[in-house]
Amino acid sequence: MSDDVLAHVRALKAYGRSLCGNAADAEDLVQETLLRAIENAHSYRPGTHMRAWLFTIMRNRFYTDCRKRARERTGSEDCVSGGPVVAATQDWHMASQEMQQALREMPVHYREALVLVAVIGESYQHAAEVLDCDIGTIKSRVNRARAILRRRLHAEA
């Protein structure tokens, strides 16, 4: 099973980045996901989709961590250490930032569906398994998420 898990690390990193919003937290989430997958290897059913199983573990861990952070505030939200140090000077970087901001502001159920299908390349069926909903719901969410991005990014242009 370990070889199967390692084949999905890139996709886990991409999905983790979409959930967390930054690379450092995403790396931690991937590590935690892999640890949980190894700890719970006995619960994996051979023949099921490994990537969907791993994404489900990651998504559950992310939301558990969110609830935990909401209860345990560690610092002030207006702390200057969290602010940007150097302004972006390249257009592509700014476009990337605008895209990431638009994704962060999008309702989470649309963002998750879009990232799974359009960014990571999951099939609609596997995305439906990960998000525990119907395939038609996934198609609708992806379509609406794309429309939200188009409106948001063209409005700023």
Side-chain angles (χ1 to χ4, degrees):
M1 184 174 127
S2 65
D3 292 338
D4 291 339
V5 170
L6 295 177
H8 302 291
V9 169
R10 283 185 63 165
L12 287 170
K13 286 181 180 182
Y15 186 47
R17 179 90 188 239
S18 75
L19 290 172
C20 297
N22 68 57
D25 290 343
E27 285 291 328
D28 291 343
L29 184 59
V30 169
Q31 293 293 325
E32 203 166 326
T33 300
L34 294 174
L35 178 65
R36 300 262 184 226
I38 292 167
E39 288 174 347
N40 296 301
H42 63 279
S43 69
Y44 175 73
R45 287 176 291 177
T48 59
H49 193 258
M50 173 72 71
R51 188 181 285 190
W53 183 68
L54 291 169
F55 283 172
T56 301
I57 292 171
M58 177 176 277
R59 184 172 179 259
N60 291 342
R61 189 74 240 159
F62 174 74
Y63 285 121
T64 299
D65 289 346
C66 285
R67 286 189 296 274
K68 185 189 237 182
R69 277 193 301 270
R71 289 190 311 265
E72 301 172 359
R73 297 278 181 210
T74 57
S76 176
E77 290 183 16
D78 59 351
C79 181
V80 296
S81 66
V85 177
V86 178
T89 58
Q90 298 170 325
D91 291 339
W92 62 267
H93 180 73
M94 292 304 294
S96 172
Q97 293 295 322
E98 290 170 2
M99 173 69 82
Q100 289 176 18
Q101 181 67 27
L103 281 171
R104 278 192 298 271
E105 292 173 356
M106 181 182 297
V108 69
H109 56 282
Y110 291 152
R111 179 177 61 238
E112 288 176 339
L114 182 68
V115 168
L116 285 172
V117 173
V119 177
I120 296 174
E122 285 297 317
S123 68
Y124 287 113
Q125 182 63 41
H126 289 144
E129 290 173 18
V130 169
L131 298 177
D132 194 29
C133 61
D134 293 329
I135 192 168
T137 303
I138 292 296
K139 289 179 180 181
S140 174
R141 287 178 182 176
V142 169
N143 185 42
R144 289 179 182 172
R146 287 177 174 156
I148 289 169
L149 283 179
R150 267 193 303 275
R151 280 194 308 271
R152 171 72 191 270
L153 297 177
H154 288 311
E156 293 176 0

